[in-house]
Amino acid sequence: NSQLKAHAIKKLDKMVDNFWSEMANEDAILKIEKLYEDEKFGSRKMAALVASKVFYHLEALDDSLRYALCAGDAFNVSGKTEYVETLLAKCIDEYIRLRIQESESKQKAGSDEKTEPIDPRLISIVDQMFERCYKHHQYEQALGIAVESRRLDQVARCIKMSGDTQKILSYCLELCKTTVQSRRYRNQLLQVMVQLYKGLKNPDYLNMCQCLLFLNDSESVAATLEKLIRGDTDKAVLAYQVAFDLNENQNQPFLLRVRKKLSPEEEGKEKGEGMQVEKPDDSTKGSEYEDRLKKLKDILSGKTPTDLYLHFLYTHSKTDLLILKSIKDRLKPRNTVTHIATVMSHSIMNCGTTIDTFLRDNLPWLAKATNWSKFTATASIGVIHRGHYKESLKLLQPYLPQGNAASGSPYQEGGALYALGLIHACDGGEQASFLMESLKSKNEIIQHGASLGLGLTAMATGDRDIFDMLFELVVTDNAVSGEAASIAAGLTMLGTGYEDGVENLLGYAHDTKHEKIIRGIAMAIALIQFGREEAADPVIEELGNDKDAILRYGAMYTIALAYVGTSNNKAVRKLLHVAVSDVSDDVRRAATTALGFVLCNEPQKVPTIVSLLAEGFNPHVRYGAAMAVGIACAGSGMKEALDLLESLLDDPEEFVRQAAFIATAMVLIQHNKKKEPRVESFRKKIDEALWAKGDTMAKFGAIISAGILDAGGRNVTISLLSQHGHKKMTAIVGMALFPQFWYWHPLIHFLCLSFTPTAVIGLNKDLKMPKNWTVKSNAPPSMFSYPEPRVEKKEEKKVLKTATLSVAKKKKADKPKKEDDMDVEGKMDKDEGAKKEGEKMEVEEGAKEEAAKAEEKDKPEPTFEILENPSRVTWAQQQFIENIVDQRYKPAKEAITGIVMLIDKAPQEKEDFVVAKAPKIGVPGVSEDEPDPPEPFEFRR
């Protein structure tokens, strides 16, 4: 009886959650399945639903989903039961898997792979799920499903239907950066977002241009900036803000293309075309436009931001010279390694500040550097004066090659050329012609310095003439100049994927016998593949299968740079496999270190992933684990990272302790003892390492870590990604070449490229800093204050009392006192009384000071702090920063970070500006700065 069976099925549906075990026996479940298979049975969909629920309770989710799809309308997606929620999740996961499979098969041109067709019933359930989300205003959940399942139609619909379009677009951009791994699909999604941004009533130009940067669409960015600078003052201010935000991402080739597109009339002249920009008829407006265009280009070229940060680092430097003094005093002067480590630590501490007081005060000590130590010490001037473009040649004039004049030390000259590159790193090749001329020298040491300097200044320009010139130097088969020239060739072609260059370099790597050249070529190939993701896979495969361990080492860094900041699963699996299987310790160390680059956008995962490697028997893998944690978790102060590194600081292997010191300093950079108590114990650990006998490698790591901990006058941090989630090209390159100090110490200077000043700088429409703009930090001042400076302990001199014999005392007592003696004794009594009174007063004053200090301690600390313009704001502090509303100036962007353009609400009133101080340009032991002029005074006789 069909009606009876239908009634029974309905009853079973209500009872299945309690009596599923009875229904799960073979006979019962077969009967229910037969009822569904009977096409004449009217309630077959209900039978499918009951079967689905039985399989769900049996945890056979695949069978459960299959019958749920067969149930059709009987499966209610709006239900709130655990069964419905679980099957919906399973259904969505299956749908996402099939959609990704379908999408990837379309991407492969000429692929014969047959993809599994998507069940229309599955699509129907997912569409119902979207409708349910829209009905309940769960737009973020709908957007997440749409993005993962690659449904661009639903992405656009979801964003348009949500009430707060700006908010949901920002959420979509975040998903793009963190969830989407396919580069092609990411670009499609970003194109949809750009169109939606353009369609807004008040377009969000800041986020729109960030999307265009992801798409590498320089033409649209240039058009947007052109439109803004032709508008009113507020629009021009917004254009400057967009430019500053783009510059922060350090994508130099993109910025160079934008600058060229902003002046098509100049480009037209070069090409012989008559292209011209339409300029306003009014001459005043025309001159205003030209002024705005010039300012915009200076921002995009990096000149304006660099000058602003140079001023900030110079005026706010809090370097503690006593730390350097204590390091210098504790070490043996004859040990070259620790001596040059101290010089490098000093340069890191003062990176970008232009302050070299310590070197000026210790010139005889500095002069002990010889040969390559002299090269490295001279190059350290470039780190201290990084970004000091205007005075670079004047600074280095005493050291640079003087043409036909009497030549100085080649180590000094080579170091000066390297320093020039460090100052002008990634500035579009401003000093390229001078360095190319120096490259013609026949001295290998000068060629070494000129090559590194040229690679730095021409970084990512893609200049084939420079590449060819450097490659010619590589094939001379000189180990010293060849290594530097190959690295420089890679820097010049950074991220271009230059196939002919890779082929030529790889061919020569197989021909030469010099390990230094092969290693340089391996790193060059890795640099050329920067950020190319899947496009770099053929090169990775070729290098990874090479019999030469050095080229396999290069393959690991190629993975690191090609997939940096992507958290790509395939790349992570490959690196983990090599880290435990390769026969070469160097390759295993490189593979483990590379994990830090790939996962730098998800640093919280790194300590967990490398925890087992950090406990392994191979010390090289432990070294790599420490470096990976340091690179990924830099500046985070993450407790899990510090826990892992703490155990490695006591590792039996000296070089593992070296890596642990450096990595811990990276993690703890810009943290004080209030924010992270372990900072204090780590500083003590550094002091202990310096006192220890032997252990030169560990001492080297401890000295460098002391510099990193207080880098840039305690005003910089290490960051490989920008605030907007873009890869910072210069910073990543610096961090990739820094670990190569394992083979060659001068490469340690590349670390300075990874430093980012942590400042909030407010600028008005004329790019000047108004004094009366402040921000509020909603955290106790001690939480993010500078560490307290060390106090030099003064040894108290013990005064020895003169011994008097008892016989002499007796004779003196027996003598009759003369008047003169009486006067002397009287004076002595008075002096003693005065002395006691003075001591009493000093004790009272000391007691008063202690009481005042005690009172200050007892006072409750304020819960907030008002910061003036410009001010230091660490990355951890940014979440506590807010704009004070009732002010004359209004920020052009919501996030108060980095350089902030200010809109003036009272432009008719007079403005008061912060006066920029000129940084120092003296060279220790060669030329000195003139002292500052005295304060205004009135002369009186």
Side-chain angles (χ1 to χ4, degrees):
N1 190 327
S2 296
Q3 289 182 346
L4 187 63
K5 286 177 182 177
H7 178 74
I9 282 292
K10 285 179 184 176
K11 285 285 185 185
L12 287 173
D13 180 46
K14 292 175 184 177
M15 298 163 61
V16 68
D17 291 333
N18 296 320
F19 296 99
W20 63 268
S21 56
E22 283 81 354
M23 297 180 201
N25 69 65
E26 195 173 343
D27 293 336
I29 195 68
L30 279 171
K31 286 176 183 177
I32 295 168
E33 286 176 334
K34 279 180 182 178
L35 286 175
Y36 162 69
E37 288 164 6
D38 184 359
E39 292 181 5
K40 294 178 182 178
F41 181 52
S43 298
R44 61 195 296 265
K45 286 185 178 180
M46 187 59 73
L49 183 66
V50 173
S52 172
K53 288 182 179 180
V54 173
F55 282 118
Y56 163 74
H57 287 293
L58 287 169
E59 297 185 5
L61 294 183
D62 289 332
D63 291 330
S64 179
L65 177 61
R66 181 161 54 84
Y67 278 107
L69 292 174
C70 296
D73 299 338
F75 179 65
N76 180 19
V77 295
S78 301
K80 296 291 182 185
T81 62
E82 188 183 333
Y83 160 73
V84 172
E85 296 293 337
T86 306
L87 274 215
L88 278 176
K90 177 71 179 172
C91 179
I92 291 165
D93 287 345
E94 182 65 13
Y95 180 70
I96 288 168
R97 184 185 70 81
L98 293 170
R99 283 283 300 171
I100 291 171
Q101 193 180 58
E102 183 183 57
S103 174
E104 286 178 352
S105 67
K106 285 178 183 176
Q107 285 178 27
K108 293 175 183 176
S111 175
D112 296 330
E113 287 180 29
K114 289 184 179 180
T115 56
E116 192 179 336
I118 302 174
D119 193 325
R121 296 169 300 181
L122 190 65
I123 297 170
S124 173
I125 287 178
V126 173
D127 286 341
Q128 287 179 56
M129 186 63 194
F130 279 122
E131 296 303 326
R132 171 184 154 182
C133 289
Y134 298 145
K135 186 179 176 182
H136 294 97
H137 306 291
Q138 295 171 328
Y139 298 110
E140 288 188 358
Q141 186 179 350
L143 184 65
I145 297 167
V147 167
E148 285 201 68
S149 60
R150 305 191 179 188
R151 288 285 298 271
L152 295 174
D153 58 328
Q154 289 292 353
V155 168
R157 185 185 171 199
C158 178
I159 292 169
K160 286 175 182 175
M161 285 183 70
S162 67
D164 192 347
T165 312
Q166 290 275 58
K167 184 185 174 184
I168 206 78
L169 272 168
S170 298
Y171 179 68
C172 189
L173 185 58
E174 192 61 33
L175 287 176
C176 251
K177 291 184 284 191
T178 55
T179 307
V180 181
Q181 292 196 350
S182 167
R183 195 176 189 177
R184 186 171 176 176
Y185 170 59
R186 191 190 305 135
N187 289 346
Q188 292 171 353
L189 185 57
L190 286 164
Q191 283 167 352
V192 171
M193 289 178 66
V194 167
Q195 294 306 316
L196 291 167
Y197 271 122
K198 286 180 180 175
L200 293 174
K201 190 177 180 182
N202 296 311
D204 183 352
Y205 292 109
L206 294 170
N207 279 325
M208 186 176 86
C209 287
Q210 293 298 328
C211 290
L212 290 169
L213 175 56
F214 274 118
L215 289 166
N216 208 21
D217 187 354
S218 54
E219 199 166 334
S220 297
V221 170
T224 304
L225 292 171
E226 184 80 28
K227 179 184 172 184
L228 288 171
I229 59 171
R230 289 185 183 279
D232 58 17
T233 307
D234 289 357
K235 288 280 170 66
V237 166
L238 192 58
Y240 299 152
Q241 186 65 72
V242 169
F244 277 120
D245 285 358
L246 289 172
N247 181 267
E248 185 203 342
N249 300 315
Q250 296 182 358
N251 190 332
Q252 301 306 325
F254 180 85
L255 295 173
L256 194 64
R257 289 199 302 274
V258 173
R259 282 173 63 205
K260 283 182 180 176
K261 293 279 192 309
L262 280 169
S263 51
E265 74 282 358
E266 291 175 19
E267 196 179 344
K269 282 175 190 174
E270 288 172 15
K271 292 179 182 177
E273 299 168 6
M275 294 175 66
Q276 286 191 352
V277 175
E278 291 180 21
K279 291 190 178 180
D281 297 332
D282 189 87
S283 60
T284 314
K285 283 186 177 179
S287 61
E288 187 182 37
Y289 164 79
E290 285 171 6
D291 180 53
R292 287 177 178 179
L293 186 63
K294 184 180 181 301
K295 286 176 181 172
L296 194 64
K297 285 185 173 182
D298 283 345
I299 294 167
L300 291 168
S301 69
K303 287 178 182 175
T304 304
T306 303
D307 286 346
L308 288 165
Y309 284 130
L310 196 67
H311 164 259
F312 168 76
L313 292 172
Y314 174 58
T315 54
H316 287 69
S317 176
K318 298 287 180 186
T319 303
D320 192 347
L321 294 179
L322 278 177
I323 294 174
L324 286 165
K325 187 177 179 296
S326 65
I327 292 171
K328 181 180 86 69
D329 293 343
R330 287 179 186 183
L331 299 170
K332 292 177 182 177
R334 290 183 183 178
N335 191 324
T336 314
V337 174
T338 53
H339 178 275
I340 201 59
T342 312
V343 175
M344 289 191 284
S345 183
H346 166 266
S347 66
I348 292 168
M349 273 191 196
N350 291 289
C351 176
T353 64
T354 74
I355 298 167
D356 46 29
T357 314
F358 179 76
L359 296 184
R360 294 172 190 274
D361 295 343
N362 296 279
L363 290 173
W365 171 81
L366 180 63
K368 290 176 183 175
T370 56
N371 299 333
W372 283 107
S373 294
K374 184 178 279 190
F375 175 93
T376 310
T378 311
S380 73
I381 296 170
V383 177
I384 296 166
H385 292 271
R386 172 154 160 65
H388 202 171
Y389 300 154
K390 293 175 185 175
E391 306 289 346
S392 58
L393 288 173
K394 187 177 177 182
L395 273 164
L396 297 167
Q397 194 63 41
Y399 304 130
L400 289 168
Q402 301 298 324
N404 297 326
S407 179
S409 165
Y411 295 102
Q412 198 165 278
E413 290 178 359
L417 292 166
Y418 182 16
L420 188 65
L422 289 166
I423 292 172
H424 288 272
C426 216
D427 71 345
E430 195 171 308
Q431 295 293 339
S433 55
F434 176 78
L435 288 159
M436 285 170 81
E437 195 62 35
S438 302
L439 204 61
K440 294 174 183 176
S441 168
K442 292 181 180 179
N443 188 297
E444 62 180 18
I445 300 157
I446 294 173
Q447 286 178 341
H448 185 94
S451 296
L452 290 174
L454 183 58
L456 281 160
T457 191
M459 191 189 296
T461 56
D463 192 318
R464 295 197 179 182
D465 292 336
I466 294 176
F467 178 87
D468 292 341
M469 191 177 184
L470 290 163
F471 185 68
E472 282 176 19
L473 192 58
V474 173
V475 297
T476 57
D477 211 37
N478 182 300
V480 174
S481 57
E483 181 187 28
S486 50
I487 290 172
L491 288 169
T492 306
M493 289 293 170
L494 180 66
T496 59
Y498 183 34
E499 290 181 11
D500 291 343
V502 170
E503 192 178 331
N504 291 338
L505 286 167
L506 196 54
Y508 188 71
H510 288 126
D511 294 341
T512 186
K513 292 180 180 178
H514 291 293
E515 285 191 5
K516 284 170 79 72
I517 296 176
I518 299 169
R519 191 172 293 110
I521 288 172
M523 287 307 299
I525 293 170
L527 291 164
I528 292 169
Q529 301 301 326
F530 173 85
R532 286 172 55 76
E533 296 181 31
E534 296 93 345
D537 284 349
V539 176
I540 293 167
E541 195 69 28
E542 187 177 354
L543 290 173
N545 293 331
D546 202 284
K547 62 181 181 180
D548 191 334
I550 300 173
L551 290 175
R552 294 202 304 277
Y553 175 93
M556 298 307 103
Y557 272 97
T558 308
I559 294 171
L561 292 176
Y563 288 96
V564 62
T566 61
S567 297
N568 186 282
N569 290 329
K570 185 178 75 172
V572 172
R573 282 199 301 271
K574 173 80 173 171
L575 291 169
L576 287 170
H577 172 70
V578 174
V580 295
S581 63
D582 201 278
V583 292
S584 167
D585 285 336
D586 285 358
V587 178
R588 294 175 72 174
R589 185 179 70 250
T592 318
T593 305
L595 288 166
F597 288 95
V598 177
L599 294 164
C600 67
N601 62 327
E602 294 184 6
Q604 67 281 358
K605 290 183 178 178
V606 179
T608 311
I609 288 173
V610 303
S611 59
L612 288 173
L613 297 173
E615 294 169 7
F617 69 91
N618 190 314
H620 290 266
V621 174
R622 297 202 298 274
Y623 180 102
M627 292 302 289
V629 170
I631 290 163
C633 306
S636 66
M638 196 184 296
K639 286 182 169 44
E640 295 82 1
L642 292 172
D643 290 342
L644 186 142
L645 292 169
E646 204 166 17
S647 60
L648 293 175
L649 282 169
D650 297 317
D651 196 273
E653 281 292 341
E654 204 179 327
F655 63 85
V656 177
R657 294 202 298 280
Q658 181 192 83
F661 271 116
I662 291 169
T664 307
M666 286 180 180
V667 176
L668 288 174
I669 191 171
Q670 283 208 322
H671 282 70
N672 60 19
K673 62 182 180 183
K674 180 75 181 287
K675 182 86 176 78
E676 177 50 68
R678 279 189 269 196
V679 172
E680 200 168 11
S681 61
F682 179 61
R683 286 189 188 275
K684 287 177 182 173
K685 196 89 178 172
I686 292 172
D687 291 341
E688 287 170 14
L690 297 176
W691 280 115
K693 289 183 179 180
D695 288 358
T696 303
M697 290 181 81
K699 277 183 185 175
F700 183 90
I703 296 164
I704 298 297
S705 68
I708 294 169
L709 210 53
D710 297 328
R714 295 175 169 171
N715 289 309
V716 300
T717 190
I718 295 171
S719 62
L720 303 188
L721 300 176
S722 71
Q723 297 282 357
H724 299 280
H726 292 274
K727 300 163 190 173
K728 294 169 78 170
M729 182 183 282
T730 314
I732 292 164
V733 167
M735 189 54 78
L737 289 171
F738 166 66
Q740 311 312 315
F741 76 82
W742 176 278
Y743 305 101
W744 191 231
H745 281 167
L747 295 178
I748 219 160
H749 290 317
F750 273 90
L751 180 64
C752 73
L753 304 183
S754 302
F755 293 142
T756 302
T758 51
V760 167
I761 303 172
L763 300 177
N764 73 346
K765 61 183 173 61
D766 299 318
L767 305 184
K768 293 180 180 177
M769 291 182 271
K771 270 187 180 178
N772 53 340
W773 180 68
T774 54
V775 293
K776 184 180 179 183
S777 172
N778 293 308
S782 64
M783 185 68 76
F784 301 105
S785 62
Y786 290 104
E788 292 177 9
R790 291 192 181 186
V791 181
E792 196 167 8
K793 291 178 182 178
K794 291 182 180 179
E795 292 181 9
E796 293 180 5
K797 291 181 180 178
K798 293 180 181 179
V799 181
L800 297 171
K801 290 183 180 180
T802 309
T804 312
L805 294 171
S806 56
V807 178
K809 271 186 183 180
K810 195 174 181 183
K811 282 180 181 178
K812 195 176 180 182
D814 290 344
K815 280 183 182 178
K817 290 182 181 178
K818 294 178 182 178
E819 285 183 14
D820 292 345
D821 294 343
M822 293 283 285
D823 290 343
V824 171
E825 280 183 18
K827 282 178 185 177
M828 285 174 70
D829 290 342
K830 281 180 184 177
D831 290 344
E832 282 178 16
K835 193 178 178 183
K836 284 179 181 177
E837 198 173 327
E839 285 175 1
K840 188 180 178 184
M841 284 174 73
E842 282 179 13
V843 169
E844 285 176 2
E845 282 175 11
K848 282 179 184 177
E849 283 178 13
E850 284 179 13
K853 283 180 184 177
E855 276 182 30
E856 281 180 17
K857 283 183 181 179
D858 292 339
K859 279 183 185 177
E861 189 183 4
T863 56
F864 68 92
E865 185 181 9
I866 302 298
L867 303 173
E868 295 179 351
N869 183 28
S871 56
R872 171 190 187 251
V873 175
T874 66
W875 277 43
Q877 192 178 1
Q878 285 175 5
Q879 59 183 312
F880 300 102
I881 299 294
E882 69 173 44
N883 182 49
I884 301 168
V885 180
D886 301 325
Q887 287 190 97
R888 175 177 172 176
Y889 298 97
K890 176 190 169 188
K893 62 176 182 177
E894 286 182 20
I896 310 294
T897 58
I899 297 172
V900 181
M901 289 304 302
L902 304 172
I903 297 168
D904 192 352
K905 293 191 280 189
Q908 68 283 356
E909 293 179 15
K910 191 181 176 183
E911 295 180 279
D912 192 12
F913 301 114
V914 177
V915 181
K917 289 183 183 178
K920 295 187 176 183
I921 57 168
V923 178
V926 181
S927 62
E928 300 291 335
D929 277 344
E930 288 186 12
D932 294 330
E935 294 291 326
F937 62 93
E938 188 178 338
F939 180 72
R940 291 178 183 173
R941 286 192 180 276

